[in-house]
Amino acid sequence: MVKTQAGSRFVGGADYAALNEHSVRDFLSPLPVAASLIGGEPSVWTVREVGDGNLNLVFIVKGTKGGVVVKQALPYVRMVGESWPLPLDRAYFEHEALKIQTLAAPNLVPKIFHFDTMQAAIVMELLEPHLILRKGLIKGLRYPKLAEDMAAFCAQTLFRTSDLGSPASEKRERQARFSHNITLSKITEDLVFTDPYRVSDMNRWTTPQLDKVAAAIRDDAPLKLAAQELKWMFLTRGEALLHGDLHTGSIMATIGDTRVIDPEFAVYGPMGFDLGAFMANLLLAYFAQAGHASKEDDRVAYRGWILDTLEAFWLGFETRFLALWQQGGAGDAFLPALFADDVGGVAMDAYRAMVMTQMFHDAVGFTGAKMTRRILGLAHVEDLESIVDPDQRAACEKRALRMARTLMVGRKAIPSIHALREMAEALVMEHIA
Ligand code: SR1
Ligand code: MG
């Protein structure tokens, strides 16, 4: 692929043009999905641009038979504008990651119908009546299968792409490929692990309520060390192919179905990073509930359901990951033949338990970092942003930041997911008492 101004060696080219509600029809009409999934003449299709994320265009196109989604990368950060250019190749990495996730967790990602390298656009399944999970958590909706499905997604994608699940030759090739996702990884490095801990034009917070808290964090040496240790782990520990941005805006759900979308930040990294991203966003939703309470619903029971989901997620992940490891994967690490003398697998089981404890502590630390960045950094979350009264919002944010600090600095002292749950409960009860 020729490198062009708009493109990169993976995608884009001289003919790249941002799609609009008219040109998306011309883009789709020659494709087989036009007849098989959309149906009818392009002129009668309904087209809506619905992207509410930070980076891309997202079109829903519907015809007489059904519809599809077209997601197109823009050559800049949508939430900031053209002053922040961004390579189109994130569409390539997203498509590559989706293919791998489809093999590992087929029912938990959208179906992919077409990838256009020139337009950096992916045509995928229209998920209806699914709702972005974050929006459901703001509304107070319950998802009985969420914990189980997310545990399965994480266990299957992380195990399969690790040295436990893939031969080293395959894993190294994949890791090398995704190591080119440099610009999006740099966004994570800066926005998650660096900017919240320094003065940066990128930062914002509820002001003036959080001014002192933000200043104290910039002076908090143990916290900054914890953030940098986590950043170092993110940079160096290529354990598995991460989704890379596994927040509740990257999940679409109904009561009975869960799909993980948007893996454009995919890169090899520590498994705890994805686990922590999901856990952090559940906790942000939890701490935001006080701001969504109404006369009809005080959200107390709902808050409890969020913590039930958090606990069930971790326990489900641990069980599933261990089961995959015990069954044995295609990986080159811990070849079973080496342990033929380990009667009853006692030594290996003890070792696996130790690895899961370490992974839990990693996940706890990343949880704290991911919570902090959403309150003091550039990109915030609707759970908190939608709380209109700034005093109330700031009160929720302060509680979340207190928890986040303990999770980062004291992560190795947190014995279990239940203890983490109790910490979250205590922070909310302390305020009520
Ligand atoms: C400039 S991009 C800001 C954030 O949006 C994405 O969802 C990632 O979380 C990224 O950090
Ligand atoms: Mg996204």
Side-chain angles (χ1 to χ4, degrees):
M1 174 76 51
V2 180
K3 185 167 173 144
T4 69
Q5 210 179 2
S8 76
R9 63 199 171 118
F10 298 109
V11 291
D15 291 335
Y16 169 88
L19 295 168
N20 58 44
E21 295 188 358
H22 301 290
S23 62
V24 76
R25 294 167 206 267
D26 300 332
F27 168 73
L28 283 170
S29 58
L31 303 180
V33 292
S36 62
L37 291 174
I38 308 174
E41 287 303 309
S43 57
V44 303
W45 293 348
T46 59
V47 180
R48 271 187 313 135
E49 202 285 309
V50 295
D52 69 348
N54 297 327
L55 302 178
N56 306 295
L57 293 171
V58 180
F59 298 92
I60 292 181
V61 182
K62 286 187 178 176
T64 52
K65 280 193 177 165
V68 296
V69 163
V70 180
K71 177 174 175 182
Q72 186 188 34
L74 285 166
Y76 54 85
V77 175
R78 182 176 183 166
M79 73 180 289
V80 173
E82 295 186 33
S83 61
W84 186 346
L86 203 60
L88 298 173
D89 57 13
R90 62 188 187 278
Y92 164 83
F93 294 112
E94 175 163 349
H95 181 240
E96 289 297 297
L98 277 165
K99 285 193 286 183
I100 294 164
Q101 291 166 350
T102 301
L103 293 173
N107 302 320
L108 297 170
V109 290
K111 290 191 184 67
I112 301 304
F113 303 128
H114 180 73
F115 177 51
D116 189 302
T117 53
M118 183 65 79
Q119 297 303 338
I122 305 172
V123 182
M124 64 184 107
E125 184 180 2
L126 172 61
L127 296 169
E128 275 187 340
H130 299 61
L131 190 65
I132 291 284
L133 175 61
R134 190 185 303 290
K135 295 191 184 292
L137 297 174
I138 293 168
K139 284 177 186 243
L141 303 181
R142 290 172 196 238
Y143 296 93
K145 279 188 79 235
L146 178 64
E148 186 191 319
D149 285 347
M150 289 308 295
F153 176 83
C154 289
Q156 289 161 213
T157 58
L158 297 176
F159 182 85
R160 187 168 178 143
T161 59
S162 75
D163 284 300
L164 302 172
S166 293
S169 53
E170 250 179 49
K171 186 246 178 176
R172 285 188 187 286
E173 184 283 322
R174 211 184 289 124
Q175 185 171 17
R177 198 157 17 118
F178 282 92
S179 73
H180 293 281
N181 202 0
I182 296 168
T183 309
L184 266 66
S185 299
K186 172 85 170 121
I187 288 178
T188 300
E189 290 147 29
D190 289 345
L191 299 195
V192 177
F193 299 111
T194 311
D195 286 349
Y197 308 94
R198 67 177 174 188
V199 174
S200 164
D201 290 344
M202 295 287 180
N203 291 338
R204 65 186 180 86
W205 53 78
T206 304
T207 187
Q209 290 85 346
L210 258 53
D211 290 359
K212 283 192 181 141
V213 177
I217 278 177
R218 295 197 294 271
D219 273 347
D220 186 338
L223 183 61
K224 287 190 285 187
L225 279 172
Q228 292 318 291
E229 196 178 17
L230 291 160
K231 181 176 184 177
W232 199 15
M233 286 158 62
F234 178 74
L235 289 166
T236 54
R237 276 184 27 199
E239 294 172 350
L241 180 65
L242 307 179
H243 174 283
D245 199 22
L246 197 49
H247 55 75
T248 47
S250 296
I251 298 164
M252 296 192 73
T254 63
I255 284 182
D257 191 45
T258 312
R259 308 291 187 96
V260 177
I261 61 171
D262 276 7
E264 64 203 314
F265 284 78
V267 72
Y268 264 77
M271 302 192 201
F273 184 83
D274 270 1
L275 303 165
F278 181 58
M279 287 160 58
N281 280 268
L282 287 181
L283 284 169
L284 290 169
Y286 168 81
F287 283 108
Q289 290 305 313
H292 304 310
S294 63
K295 271 192 217 130
E296 296 74 43
D297 184 0
D298 62 10
R299 297 288 182 108
V300 172
Y302 188 65
R303 227 168 46 207
W305 175 81
I306 296 179
L307 294 183
D308 292 346
T309 302
L310 176 74
E311 259 190 290
F313 164 69
W314 172 263
L315 296 173
F317 167 76
E318 188 178 46
T319 304
R320 284 164 187 272
F321 192 91
L322 279 171
L324 288 168
W325 196 353
Q326 272 153 354
Q327 281 157 27
D332 281 320
F334 304 97
L335 290 174
L338 284 179
F339 299 96
D341 59 340
D342 179 18
V343 181
V346 176
M348 264 314 293
D349 280 347
Y351 180 79
R352 288 188 191 105
M354 194 262 297
V355 170
M356 296 316 292
T357 301
Q358 188 185 322
M359 208 190 294
F360 175 68
H361 290 146
D362 294 351
V364 168
F366 287 119
T367 300
K370 290 282 208 168
M371 290 169 74
T372 305
R373 60 85 47 119
R374 295 293 183 191
I375 298 172
L376 300 179
L378 170 75
H380 287 216
V381 290
E382 196 182 335
D383 315 58
L384 290 160
E385 295 294 287
S386 59
I387 303 173
V388 179
D389 174 0
D391 288 331
Q392 194 176 26
R393 187 190 329 130
C396 296
E397 290 171 335
K398 280 182 188 171
R399 286 192 280 280
L401 285 172
R402 274 179 63 194
M403 172 126 187
R405 185 187 189 279
T406 309
L407 298 184
M408 290 170 73
V409 175
R411 64 186 185 275
K412 291 179 189 153
I414 296 172
S416 64
I417 191 70
H418 191 68
L420 190 149
R421 177 207 184 111
E422 287 180 336
M423 192 187 299
E425 284 171 339
L427 272 160
V428 166
M429 291 317 290
E430 193 181 292
H431 141 79
I432 292 166

